[in-house]
Amino acid sequence: MKDEEGPPERRLTMAEKLGHLLTLRAGLGDDGKPSYKKLAAEIAAQSGETFSGAYLWQLHRGERTNPTLRHLTALAAYFRVPVSYFTDDDLAREMIEEEDLARRELDKSMTEAGVSAVYLRGDLAALSPEGKRMAAEMIRRLRELEQGTRKPPHR
């Protein structure tokens, strides 16, 4: 959101917005990068819209910057965001900030609970902001329950 007294925030690019969604919700390959071909096939199967892995890669790299409304609609449906995420920078920033806050809350809860399993962290990272908050709360409550039921060691 724009601060009334400060300079206007720079515009977010399509590549940045898509990159954020890919980081959060796309399955990553062994190399830590999304499989554009697989992702494009999933989007096409869900939406009926033609997508190629190369086109998705170009959008993500910023080499294509003006997708059609049909492609934006298909991307929005696949990533479960409103189409306006791609056209409204304030909304996109708000959603990115909400996701970041939820991720930090979950990370803090997992660290406090001693959760270090990378696979678990990866699975939880794919949750929506609300899912992350629920997982963080569940971890806190489990920890409280365990602390309440632990008996002091016998000496």
Side-chain angles (χ1 to χ4, degrees), residues 21 25 43 46-47 70-83 86:
L21 295 174
R25 298 188 177 94
I43 294 169
Q46 177 184 323
S47 68
R70 290 187 340 251
H71 284 130
L72 291 179
T73 301
L75 287 166
Y78 181 81
F79 288 110
R80 296 185 305 259
V81 297
V83 174
F86 295 107

Side-chain angles (χ1 to χ4, degrees), residues 17-151:
K17 293 173 185 176
L18 182 57
H20 173 74
L21 295 174
L22 289 171
T23 300
L24 294 176
R25 298 188 177 94
L28 302 179
D30 294 335
D31 59 358
K33 297 178 183 174
S35 167
Y36 297 104
K37 184 177 181 179
K38 179 180 176 208
L39 189 57
E42 290 173 1
I43 294 169
Q46 177 184 323
S47 68
E49 190 61 48
T50 56
F51 256 94
S52 72
Y55 180 66
L56 200 54
W57 179 83
Q58 290 170 333
L59 286 173
H60 187 209
R61 301 271 304 166
E63 294 178 14
R64 296 298 277 295
T65 59
N66 194 17
T68 66
L69 180 58
R70 290 187 340 251
H71 284 130
L72 291 179
T73 301
L75 287 166
Y78 181 81
F79 288 110
R80 296 185 305 259
V81 297
V83 174
S84 56
Y85 169 86
F86 295 107
T87 60
D88 181 342
D89 283 353
D90 288 338
L91 175 64
R93 278 190 176 88
E94 184 180 308
M95 291 178 72
I96 290 168
E97 288 170 11
E98 179 185 6
E99 178 68 42
D100 190 46
L101 286 172
R103 181 191 47 77
R104 287 194 309 238
E105 182 181 341
L106 179 59
D107 283 348
K108 181 181 177 199
S109 292
M110 290 175 47
T111 299
E112 289 172 353
V115 176
S116 61
V118 174
Y119 66 89
L120 180 58
R121 287 182 178 270
D123 286 344
L124 293 175
L127 295 175
S128 68
E130 184 61 26
K132 285 184 175 93
R133 287 189 186 94
M134 290 170 52
E137 182 61 26
M138 288 171 50
I139 290 168
R140 277 194 290 276
R141 288 195 182 185
L142 283 170
R143 201 171 84 234
E144 289 170 4
L145 285 170
E146 280 195 344
Q147 290 171 348
T149 59
R150 286 190 190 150
K151 296 183 173 136

